[in-house]
Amino acid sequence: MPPPKSKSSSASAPDLDILGDQVTIHPTGYVQPPSTQHEGQERNLVEHMARFRESPLDFLREVSLHVSGMGWRAYDDVIGQPIFYSGFSENMKATVLKTPMLKRRIEQLAQQRVEVEEQEGLLGEGKDKFQNRARRRQEIETSLQEVATDLTDGMICKMESKRFIRGAYYLCTQLLTRAYHQGIHVSSEEVLRLRSVAEQAAKKKQSIIFLPCHRSHVDYVSLQLICYRLGIGLPTVVAGDNLNFPIVGSFLQHAGAMWIRRSFGDDALYTTLVQSYIDTLLQNGFNFECFIEGGRSRTGKLLSPKFGILSFLLDSVLSGRVDDAIICPVSTQYDKVIETESYISELLGQPKPKENLQDFLSASSVLSLKLGRVDVRFHEPWSLREFINGQQARNDQSPPMHRAVNLRSPEIRTRLLRTLGYKVLSDINAVSVVMPTALIGTVLLTLRGRGVGKSELIRRVEWLSDRVRNKGGRVAHFAGARTEVVVDRGLDVLGSGLVGIIDNLPETTYYAVDRFQLSFYRNMTIHLFISEALVSAAMYTRVKQGGGPDNQRISFDALYHQVSFLSQLFRGEFIYPTAGLLTNFEVTLQGLERDQVISVTRDSACRILSVDLHDIERKSGRENFDFYCFLIWPFIESIWLGAVSLMGLTPPLGLESDVWLDVTKTQDAAQLLGKTLYHQGDLSYFEAVNKETLKNAFQLFEEEGIVLLHRSRDKKIPSTIKLAETWTPKRKQETGGIVPEGKLWTFIETIAQSRREGKNRRDGATVSTRVLVLADKVGHQLFENAAVPADATPKDVQTPKKRRRKEIQTRARL
């Protein structure tokens, strides 16, 4: 059924006041900036809407405009493919079910099932066998077709009613601007560029694939509102079926949600069905949206890319089934994230509650808070086809021994997928805006004192803002407001629950109340300074020794070795510049030297011999050097904690070494150990015990071969873990205590060299006595409930080499 033609939207619309400037509303929906507006200026695209109690007439006027569809609210003449017409969902479902890929998969699965039944003697003998085989195959294909139909109906988005979308836009804007009372801000230059790209893509019938970062459920709402406001076709949004609960699930599906399972497992039919639906969307030029990180970030920084949906998108173009698609990385930043408190609970070990309607409605009280504003930034879109061709060209220029013959080979495809994922993350970081709350949180958590005066807080925020800009980052601006005004605004949004105020002093003093929650906002800035932080933490191995400058000076080779070690530790935590370790290291040293944080000694050939703190930095109390150290220290503490907890996995005397421990319980035990060490003063940062960072640490330990993991084929059987034999410490025969020596102990000591010093943490003696005893005590509790998995065989153990091979095979199957 062909879509009906849109009605004209030439009705006049009022001007919209944005940041004090009058801007014209284009009849088709987008905002035309005034001639005085310079490039890159921010504007509030989705403003605070009228309230009935505050202004009844304005409220009724807005409702009338939305109901009647006046001006841009009509959402007519949308840039993109038609979606709002009766029968859209049925047409889409029929198209998906007719795809050759899905048909072949159903025939293949039916054939495999028939062969199994034939081997089991269920199809009879002689002539009956041949007839029964054909009949049975037809029955199975019909049954699979019915299953595919039901799965497709529950999966696809059902944006059929324009009236519904108008109402949904109005409702979501009302709710969103109640919480984020200062609206959704965008860059004028970026949205005009996006609209231009959308026009070109629509002519070529190409899809725009929006790939945003993910910090809140508000992410997809804000992007849908922006597309509606700009008159761009609403994207189909990939959403986990955990959100598909009564009422809300149906609402979201009709507003653009595409429901998928959190895990596909070995379900070949479902996997093919998802690929067929994505192919259909991209072949017909429908816009698409999925979150590059998979789930929401609980720590405030970007997570490593998830390659599931990204693999489907790449395969669509790589296979030639789709000619091209446009990639648009998106950054969404908040003054304050609604879900932060629940994130902290999850990071501290509390299970994530299942989404349901009651919790959704009870969260409505949050909407009455004043959480500031949302800033959305769009990277310059780029062609997925050109990206693939560029990677092929680079491969063709490489030496013959490294040259790939086929981009679709499993190894090369996996490498291409990883490059694509990390390029998107890099693009998101490049356009991310640092909010005032992130600046304040970073300053408060990178000072040595308990609190900070107002004047010093303003000075450090200004310094940090300059550093962000110098690193190529962006700082949210507020129409030229003074720093003091911006700081006051940020403190008001954070509230007394995060930042405390001490009055009745010669100067108003602020201090961090909830350091754990504030770390979420600090982590929004760390990607800009990760290179400086790693170098500073590596230098700290000598600076912590005290004494004069000669005693604290470190050689180039020693510094590079420690930076390399730390970089490998955090390769799963942070996104590094792509120039390579040595180049990044040298560039970072040049920058720190230019900023007079360090001084460098060179030989006659200008080669760096040693590095030391600059005299000016010493006289200023090491405030800049300490700033960089404070950024990375919580992460060093966390991975040190994870490594120390591994000492407790040393099997007790008299117990056979082939004992496997539950992975989840082992990580929970590491968290419990961390809480104990924090309260006893052996751990400086409580945020170091967060579940996400510890989980990443255990993944690193597996990749490095420190631990071995067994993943059962039965999902009901938990994964298990044990120390690799060469990394297992020895025990004292007379006491049974763990001997502080060996590969694991050396690994822990190397990490500890960059840890922050403090009371009772001046040397390794504390770790080799009290801390080690605590780790052993926690480990004994794990061994009491240990068991050898019944189906464990040597081939099931995931060594680093086997793990990489399995990943390549998995990608190949997809």
Side-chain angles (χ1 to χ4, degrees):
M1 177 179 178
K5 293 183 179 180
S6 299
K7 294 184 294 183
S8 174
S9 58
S10 59
S12 62
D15 288 343
L16 178 65
D17 182 69
I18 295 176
L19 296 178
D21 289 327
Q22 291 293 321
V23 296
T24 304
I25 305 299
H26 192 278
T28 56
Y30 83 100
V31 182
Q32 176 69 44
S35 57
T36 57
Q37 215 165 7
H38 60 77
E39 281 194 347
Q41 179 170 336
E42 297 176 4
R43 75 156 77 89
N44 189 350
L45 197 62
V46 181
E47 291 187 304
H48 184 78
M49 303 184 74
R51 305 282 185 262
F52 181 78
R53 292 181 180 180
E54 299 171 358
S55 181
L57 294 179
D58 289 340
F59 174 81
L60 293 174
R61 173 179 169 274
E62 287 185 0
V63 172
S64 175
L65 290 172
H66 277 274
V67 171
S68 60
M70 297 291 287
W72 60 267
R73 297 170 184 82
Y75 200 57
D76 288 333
D77 298 328
V78 177
I79 302 175
Q81 307 309 312
I83 48 180
F84 300 115
Y85 62 90
S86 179
F88 168 76
S89 301
E90 290 301 319
N91 285 351
M92 178 61 71
K93 183 164 64 175
T95 304
V96 172
L97 293 173
K98 291 178 182 178
T99 56
M101 175 188 296
L102 184 60
K103 287 185 176 180
R104 287 195 300 270
R105 177 63 72 185
I106 289 176
E107 292 172 357
Q108 177 188 4
L109 292 174
Q111 179 64 27
Q112 290 174 354
R113 181 58 189 170
V114 167
E115 290 175 356
V116 171
E117 292 183 0
E118 185 177 8
Q119 293 175 0
E120 294 176 352
L122 301 177
L123 299 181
E125 299 293 339
K127 295 181 179 180
D128 292 340
K129 179 179 179 180
F130 179 79
Q131 295 176 349
N132 290 341
R133 180 172 180 171
R135 178 183 54 80
R136 182 58 179 151
R137 182 170 58 247
Q138 183 62 40
E139 289 177 353
I140 295 174
E141 287 182 6
T142 301
S143 177
L144 290 174
Q145 190 71 29
E146 293 174 354
V147 172
T149 300
D150 292 340
L151 290 174
T152 304
D153 186 68
M155 177 194 303
I156 65 172
C157 77
K158 301 178 178 180
M159 292 189 289
E160 294 196 354
S161 171
K162 190 175 295 184
R163 185 181 297 274
F164 173 83
I165 289 296
R166 287 178 189 165
Y169 175 89
Y170 181 77
L171 174 63
C172 291
T173 304
Q174 281 281 0
L175 295 176
L176 187 63
T177 55
R178 285 179 182 270
Y180 293 98
H181 61 295
Q182 294 179 347
I184 300 176
H185 288 242
V186 297
S187 163
S188 305
E189 178 186 4
E190 290 173 2
V191 295
L192 292 176
R193 180 179 61 199
L194 175 62
R195 184 178 168 84
S196 176
V197 170
E199 290 173 344
Q200 296 300 317
K203 292 178 182 177
K204 300 177 182 178
K205 208 174 182 179
Q206 292 177 350
S207 304
I208 297 178
I209 300 175
F210 295 98
L211 297 177
C213 57
H214 200 13
R215 289 194 173 95
S216 169
H217 284 311
V218 178
D219 294 338
Y220 38 81
V221 178
S222 60
L223 186 54
Q224 292 288 80
L225 294 181
I226 289 173
C227 287
Y228 185 101
R229 186 66 181 83
L230 295 175
I232 296 175
L234 298 181
T236 297
V237 185
V238 177
D241 58 4
N242 58 306
L243 293 174
N244 189 12
F245 50 88
I247 301 178
V248 173
S250 178
F251 176 89
L252 294 176
Q253 190 173 22
H254 284 81
M258 160 192 171
W259 299 120
I260 63 168
R261 300 173 185 170
R262 304 296 287 184
S263 175
F264 292 5
D266 295 326
D267 193 332
L269 178 62
Y270 188 79
T271 301
T272 305
L273 190 59
V274 172
Q275 181 71 73
S276 299
Y277 182 36
I278 291 177
D279 282 355
T280 302
L281 290 171
L282 300 187
Q283 288 166 355
N284 291 277
F286 295 109
N287 293 337
F288 190 81
E289 176 187 349
C290 72
F291 296 103
I292 186 68
E293 302 161 279
R296 290 170 292 164
S297 171
R298 268 70 173 171
T299 60
K301 65 179 183 61
L302 280 180
L303 305 178
S304 297
K306 296 295 186 292
F307 300 111
I309 297 299
L310 204 62
S311 176
F312 290 119
L313 296 170
L314 180 64
D315 191 67
S316 294
V317 177
L318 198 59
S319 65
R321 296 190 301 271
V322 175
D323 180 60
D324 197 6
I326 306 301
I327 303 294
C328 182
V330 183
S331 168
T332 307
Q333 304 294 327
Y334 300 85
D335 271 327
K336 196 172 185 179
V337 174
I338 290 179
E339 302 98 325
T340 309
E341 290 186 8
S342 64
Y343 291 167
I344 301 306
S345 298
E346 292 178 35
L347 291 175
L348 287 175
Q350 297 183 19
K352 176 187 175 183
K354 186 177 180 180
E355 283 82 359
N356 57 72
L357 182 60
Q358 181 178 354
D359 290 344
F360 180 82
L361 295 176
S362 65
S364 61
S365 59
V366 176
L367 300 177
S368 62
L369 300 176
K370 293 186 177 181
L371 303 178
R373 80 185 200 190
V374 182
D375 272 68
V376 181
R377 295 291 182 268
F378 298 90
H379 191 275
E380 182 176 0
W382 41 273
S383 162
L384 181 54
R385 171 66 65 188
E386 290 181 3
F387 166 80
I388 294 173
N389 292 342
Q391 294 300 308
Q392 177 69 70
R394 290 182 58 185
N395 179 72
D396 292 342
Q397 295 172 4
S398 62
M401 66 180 64
H402 300 298
R403 193 172 297 169
V405 178
N406 182 7
L407 277 177
R408 288 185 58 79
S409 67
E411 296 85 354
I412 302 304
R413 189 180 180 281
T414 300
R415 189 187 310 163
L416 182 64
L417 188 62
R418 288 182 59 83
T419 303
L420 174 61
Y422 281 99
K423 172 177 169 50
V424 172
L425 291 183
S426 179
D427 287 349
I428 290 174
N429 272 338
V431 296
S432 294
V433 173
V434 179
M435 306 299 287
T437 48
L439 295 172
I440 294 170
T442 301
V443 169
L444 289 176
L445 295 184
T446 54
L447 294 172
R448 286 192 174 275
R450 293 189 181 92
V452 59
K454 181 68 172 291
S455 60
E456 178 65 9
L457 177 60
I458 293 172
R459 185 185 73 83
R460 292 297 289 178
V461 166
E462 289 178 339
W463 174 86
L464 182 55
S465 299
D466 290 339
R467 295 300 307 142
V468 169
R469 295 187 185 97
N470 290 340
K471 291 288 293 182
R474 305 179 179 187
V475 178
H477 62 77
F478 298 86
R482 292 179 293 110
T483 305
E484 182 178 2
V485 175
V486 176
V487 169
D488 286 339
R489 176 191 170 283
L491 290 170
D492 183 57
V493 170
L494 289 172
S496 59
L498 295 183
V499 181
I501 305 175
I502 303 177
D503 295 317
N504 302 320
L505 297 177
E507 183 182 20
T508 303
T509 302
Y510 300 89
Y511 64 96
V513 175
D514 190 338
R515 299 183 65 91
F516 205 133
Q517 196 171 159
L518 271 179
S519 69
F520 182 92
Y521 300 95
R522 176 204 61 205
N523 290 343
M524 293 180 179
T525 65
I526 192 171
H527 67 277
L528 293 165
F529 308 109
I530 183 59
S531 297
E532 290 82 357
L534 291 174
V535 169
S536 298
M539 286 184 63
Y540 187 70
T541 60
R542 296 301 300 269
V543 172
K544 68 193 290 186
Q545 297 179 7
D550 292 339
N551 194 51
Q552 296 182 3
R553 186 174 295 116
I554 184 171
S555 69
F556 177 87
D557 291 340
L559 181 61
Y560 178 77
H561 176 77
Q562 186 69 5
V563 168
S564 176
F565 174 77
L566 294 175
S567 297
Q568 287 298 309
L569 286 185
F570 298 120
R571 63 177 182 261
E573 284 284 353
F574 303 110
I575 303 166
Y576 301 130
T578 57
L581 177 61
L582 181 58
T583 301
N584 291 333
F585 177 62
E586 293 174 341
V587 170
T588 303
L589 290 183
Q590 292 170 8
L592 291 172
E593 183 182 20
R594 185 171 55 252
D595 295 337
Q596 297 182 328
V597 177
I598 64 173
S599 59
V600 175
T601 302
R602 294 179 172 85
D603 62 13
S604 57
C606 292
R607 290 174 299 194
I608 300 176
L609 298 177
S610 62
V611 179
D612 189 16
L613 283 177
H614 200 283
D615 290 340
I616 294 179
E617 181 66 15
R618 293 182 185 278
K619 292 177 181 178
S620 67
R622 283 183 5 203
E623 64 176 5
N624 299 326
F625 175 81
D626 286 350
F627 166 80
Y628 295 127
C629 288
F630 274 111
L631 285 176
I632 195 69
W633 271 337
F635 294 93
I636 294 176
E637 288 269 78
S638 188
I639 204 162
W640 173 85
L641 169 62
V644 168
S645 71
L646 294 184
M647 297 291 288
L649 304 189
T650 307
L653 291 177
L655 189 67
E656 58 182 273
S657 59
D658 194 27
V659 176
W660 296 77
L661 306 173
D662 185 295
V663 171
T664 302
K665 292 180 180 179
T666 301
Q667 293 177 359
D668 290 343
Q671 193 171 43
L672 178 63
L673 174 64
K675 292 177 181 179
T676 306
L677 295 179
Y678 173 78
H679 290 295
Q680 292 186 0
D682 293 303
L683 202 67
S684 299
Y685 301 96
F686 193 51
E687 59 263 38
V689 307
N690 88 73
K691 202 170 186 178
E692 192 71 33
T693 310
L694 282 173
K695 183 179 178 181
N696 291 340
F698 273 79
Q699 182 177 340
L700 171 76
F701 301 152
E702 180 189 2
E703 292 172 354
E704 292 297 320
I706 301 174
V707 297
L708 303 177
L709 258 71
H710 169 258
R711 295 179 175 88
S712 175
R713 298 180 181 87
D714 187 348
K715 294 183 179 180
K716 296 181 181 180
I717 300 177
S719 299
T720 50
I721 188 174
K722 62 174 287 188
L723 278 172
E725 184 176 354
T726 57
W727 287 82
T728 303
K730 300 184 181 300
R731 288 188 177 272
K732 301 174 183 177
Q733 292 298 322
E734 58 276 10
T735 63
I738 299 175
V739 179
E741 59 183 36
K743 290 180 65 175
L744 181 56
W745 179 254
T746 302
F747 179 70
I748 293 171
E749 288 287 89
T750 307
I751 300 173
Q753 289 178 17
S754 292
R755 285 183 72 212
R756 180 189 178 186
E757 286 290 6
K759 186 178 180 181
N760 298 330
R761 295 192 302 279
R762 293 294 177 184
D763 51 44
T766 302
V767 179
S768 62
T769 54
R770 185 173 68 251
V771 173
L772 199 54
V773 169
L774 282 172
D776 196 16
K777 184 176 182 180
V778 172
H780 269 287
Q781 295 175 355
L782 288 172
F783 279 104
E784 289 177 0
N785 300 318
V788 179
D791 59 344
T793 62
K795 66 178 181 179
D796 293 321
V797 177
Q798 295 295 301
T799 63
K801 186 174 181 180
K802 289 183 179 180
R803 188 171 182 271
R804 285 192 293 270
R805 186 186 304 125
K806 183 178 180 181
E807 182 183 19
I808 292 173
Q809 292 171 348
T810 301
R811 301 300 172 206
R813 286 200 303 272
L814 291 177

